[in-house]
Amino acid sequence: MAAVASGGAAVDEDAYAVYQADMFRVEYPEEWRVHEDFGWLGDGSVRFESESGDHSIWVKTWHNNDDLTGEGFLEGQSDPGPLEEEGSTGVRTGETRVVPVAEYPGHWDSDYEVVRLTRTLSNGTWPTPERHMTVYGVIADDEGFTLTLNVPQGEVRGYEPVFERTVESFTQD
């Protein structure tokens, strides 16, 4: 079975691979490319990217040395400045919310603190400049994880289920 996004893109809902890093494990569409950038402390990122390069899911790890809370994460993400410095324009933040424990996947527990936000922007470095991002910030003790979906604005509906599967599969190691 395939999840079909507008524009004809499809992801086989049954064809996922498991990515294992030092700090986490997550599923991603198996036909997507994997790009890693991890430092010697284990923090860094992995990006899963479609063949076209127009659809991606990022998982970034970071050490929560400042005891950042979910609310603090949301406050930091509400500033569009860093995205605009990277060449994005028209950055708009949509939904921002703390995710209640009742919505967590069954293998997460109340030690996690999770927030979710969405944003739209324009950036000519992607094949389709008009972008949508959905971001989850996951804080677990002194570790932080940012999971981000980045797709064309017109294809959000088709790729949200793909991203939700990735988020639900995420486990901290």
Side-chain angles (χ1 to χ4, degrees):
M1 177 184 287
V4 179
S6 66
V11 173
D12 185 343
E13 291 178 1
D14 298 322
Y16 281 76
V18 174
Y19 179 84
Q20 180 71 53
D22 289 341
M23 297 173 65
F24 66 91
R25 176 190 173 283
V26 70
E27 293 180 3
Y28 67 96
E30 74 177 358
E31 71 270 10
W32 286 17
R33 295 182 297 251
V34 177
H35 304 276
E36 299 175 300
D37 183 17
F38 285 97
W40 66 276
L41 291 174
D43 57 350
S45 65
V46 62
R47 183 178 78 238
F48 309 110
E49 182 179 76
S50 69
E51 186 175 323
S52 70
D54 214 16
H55 315 88
S56 63
I57 295 173
W58 287 75
V59 180
K60 294 185 181 185
T61 64
W62 40 278
H63 297 284
N64 191 15
N65 298 329
D66 298 326
D67 294 324
L68 187 66
T69 64
E71 287 291 337
F73 181 90
L74 282 177
E75 287 174 22
Q77 293 288 315
S78 65
D79 177 14
L83 286 169
E84 290 173 348
E85 289 172 12
E86 294 177 6
S88 296
T89 59
V91 180
R92 278 185 243 157
T93 301
E95 171 195 41
T96 60
R97 70 184 182 100
V98 174
V99 178
V101 174
E103 292 181 25
Y104 290 3
H107 60 277
W108 293 8
D109 59 31
S110 60
D111 290 340
Y112 284 76
E113 190 168 355
V114 182
V115 296
R116 183 181 194 276
L117 68 102
T118 61
R119 64 171 49 108
T120 57
L121 53 93
S122 182
N123 189 310
T125 62
W126 285 294
T128 305
E130 300 305 312
R131 311 301 297 175
H132 169 88
M133 292 181 176
T134 300
V135 179
Y136 278 90
V138 180
I139 299 170
D141 297 321
D142 59 349
E143 303 301 332
F145 305 90
T146 306
L147 292 88
T148 305
L149 172 70
N150 181 343
V151 296
Q153 287 180 20
E155 297 181 21
V156 175
R157 198 173 258 198
Y159 283 92
E160 279 288 337
V162 174
F163 184 53
E164 290 302 322
R165 175 161 176 171
T166 297
V167 170
E168 289 178 12
S169 74
F170 175 85
T171 59
Q172 178 191 15
D173 287 340

